[in-house]
Amino acid sequence: MDLNTKLAILADAAKYDASCASSGGTPRDSTQGRGLGSNDGTGICHSYAPDGRCISLLKILLTNFCLYDCLYCVNRVSSNVRRARFTVDEVVQLTLDFYRRNLVEGLFLSSGIIRGPDHTMEQVVEVARRLRQEHDFRGYIHLKTIPDAAPELLQAAGRYADRLSINIELPTEAGLAQLAPEKDTAGIRRSMARLRVHIDDARGEAAEAAARPLRFVPGAAPRRAAPPAFAAAGQSTQMIVGADGADDATILATSAQLYGSYRLKRVYYSAFSPIPDASSSLPLAAPPLVREHRLYQADWLMRHYGFEAREITEGGGGMLSLQVDPKLGWALAHPERFPVDLNRAPRELLLRVPGLGVKAVDRLLLARRVRRLRAEDLKRLRVPTRKVLPFVTTADHRPARTAAGPAALRQTLAPEQAVLF
């Protein structure tokens, strides 16, 4: 099989991995005339999957052969798909070639399980090692790790990759046992815990080295030895939405627990995609993509706005509204918390006002130090007044109360689909 055919098969097989963010890595570049590549430079081309996800990395599988028979996976052992496998050398050369042509900003590498978890992980790590050590590659590397691989292989992966990820796959242990019986929830979480320990240790060593005073040696540049890095961009995971019966409340509760226990950088949500020759245990149709979008919005509220998972979904029967975003939905369900006085409310309460983002709240807090805020000030601060004014009071504004209350607001503020033609 020629290389182009392999690339077509294995790049297509990798499209179901949602995570392609590259933020948070160690800055690297080749501006000093050394090495190859950069992970924060300009001129990087981005491509998009058919469902709209951004793909800025060379995102491929090492192979789509797999010993496991996960029912939701198109690459499962019983799946009737065309198989292919890259060698380590082929992945290394493809990455370098794509980077030199400015098509990607790095590599996202995953793999089916071949022979066993350790053998597969050795191949994945070897790709990253050759790129870093033999080619001095300074672009971004995201490795999808194999949960059951030996701890020393996970540790080796962290030395070369910017980000590591282990898929939690499904939000509940029962769901995983039903659809992927060969995967072990405890093993997945054990690997996440190991990665967290290594990441925390590396960050602790870096902080300790930064605090240590420099020793000046005559004739030598004052430079502190850098401690070894370990997955500087942290670890992430991916959860499939809609393959089992888990509701949004369960999904968000699992995410909150993962963030708290393993300090994950991100949880990615991937709407289940029906696959050929699927099991009868799976739904016949994909969930609406807007459900995936609402989960990302709710996830953002938990990480940056101080919301707890349970309060985002309360009153909705465990599901997020598909008509309005989670923050607006929470505000409409709690009219007793509004209106909020923009001139006196604490930051935590301002963050709960629909239409006010983190940056807008910080600008408001600075502005009200010098004067009492008026409605017209919101426009100057680039705040969406149509969305904000029904929930706030200012020196010259108090929202009118209507008999319809939150129901009228929901009708007014719900987004409308624009006409395409």
Side-chain angles (χ1 to χ4, degrees), residues 23 64 171 292 372 393:
S23 60
N64 63 345
E292 179 186 286
R372 285 181 59 76
T393 62

Side-chain angles (χ1 to χ4, degrees), residues 181-202:
E182 292 148 314
K183 292 195 173 178
D184 176 20
T185 303
I188 294 171
R189 290 177 178 266
R190 194 162 49 243
S191 296
M192 286 181 175
R194 288 194 181 107
L195 292 183
R196 176 187 169 174
V197 169
H198 291 312
I199 292 170
D200 287 349
D201 288 348

Side-chain angles (χ1 to χ4, degrees), residues 315-378:
M319 298 298 287
L320 297 169
S321 168
L322 300 183
Q323 284 70 47
V324 297
D325 66 78
K327 193 177 181 184
L328 178 57
W330 180 86
L332 294 173
H334 293 84
E336 75 281 2
R337 305 286 293 273
F338 299 94
V340 169
D341 186 346
L342 284 189
N343 287 294
R344 303 181 63 181
R347 185 174 189 274
E348 295 74 20
L349 192 51
L350 292 177
L351 285 173
R352 299 206 166 210
V353 175
L356 290 184
V358 174
K359 289 184 178 179
V361 168
D362 290 340
R363 288 198 299 266
L364 286 170
L365 292 174
L366 288 174
R368 76 182 191 186
R369 289 182 181 179
V370 295
R371 56 176 290 180
R372 285 181 59 76
L373 296 175
R374 303 174 68 85
E376 61 184 13
D377 293 327
L378 296 179

